[in-house]
Amino acid sequence: MASGGCCQRARPLRCMAWDTAGQERFHTITTSYYRGAMGIMLVYDITNAKSFENISKWLRNIDEHANEDVERMLLGNKCDMEDKRVVPKAKGEQIAREHGIRFFETSAKANINIEKAFLTLAEDILRKTPVKEPNSENVDISSGGGVTGWKSKCC
């Protein structure tokens, strides 16, 4: 690679989404999923005050059951329904700030900030995850082919 160039190695990230809709009957299941999670999105409905009030409980639950370094994100969903809003955006921003987590308002129906939220969470997870250096098994020195098993994207 020429000096001054930029190379990034693509790293696989397996994402699984579990939508429990905040239902209490999933409480025991979700706590077991927290243990292996690298990222958690908490979603409340901006048209439903009760769903927002439950966020503090879910944050405490994450603190108790998830890994200490888990990435967390707060999403206020249904931002396309401004006329039915009962939770001000400032309240979502405040609780996110208090817990040091990212915040987005989204709309699954209108596809607002959905991709951005998922990509941001994935990027934050990858940023915290150390890049493993390829070992000798991944390097082909006989043909000058370089590293195998890694995809490169140069800019």
Side-chain angles (χ1 to χ4, degrees):
M1 177 172 86
S3 139
C6 164
C7 253
Q8 296 176 330
R9 292 185 175 139
R11 295 183 286 161
L13 181 66
R14 181 179 62 150
C15 297
M16 295 179 358
W18 299 93
D19 181 1
T20 64
Q23 296 177 31
E24 200 58 42
R25 66 183 176 163
F26 291 114
H27 176 78
T28 55
I29 296 171
T30 54
T31 56
S32 65
Y33 284 117
Y34 288 161
R35 285 186 205 102
M38 297 173 79
I40 298 173
M41 286 179 169
L42 292 168
V43 183
Y44 67 91
D45 176 348
I46 70 161
T47 70
N48 180 328
K50 181 74 173 156
S51 72
F52 181 75
E53 292 163 12
N54 287 332
I55 291 298
S56 293
K57 178 187 75 168
W58 288 105
L59 284 165
R60 281 192 305 276
N61 204 301
I62 290 168
D63 288 343
E64 290 174 21
H65 299 285
N67 294 335
E68 190 176 297
D69 64 342
V70 68
E71 279 296 323
R72 298 167 298 157
M73 177 179 283
L74 179 63
L75 303 178
N77 196 37
K78 297 189 182 179
C79 70
D80 59 308
M81 300 177 68
E82 190 62 40
D83 57 323
K84 293 186 169 81
R85 176 187 290 272
V86 296
V87 181
K89 184 176 183 178
K91 278 193 165 190
E93 291 169 333
Q94 179 184 356
I95 198 166
R97 197 171 34 255
E98 288 170 1
H99 291 272
I101 61 179
R102 291 191 187 265
F103 172 75
F104 292 101
E105 283 204 334
T106 60
S107 169
K109 182 178 179 181
N111 195 20
I112 298 169
N113 283 337
I114 298 299
E115 185 173 343
K116 182 177 183 179
F118 275 93
L119 289 176
T120 300
L121 184 62
E123 288 167 358
D124 289 348
I125 291 167
L126 287 173
R127 199 172 291 113
K128 288 170 82 170
T129 308
V131 177
K132 292 181 183 173
E133 289 300 318
N135 60 29
S136 60
E137 296 171 11
N138 291 344
V139 178
D140 177 7
I141 57 173
S142 62
S143 65
V147 179
T148 59
W150 293 91
K151 294 181 181 176
S152 293
K153 176 183 176 186
C154 291
C155 40

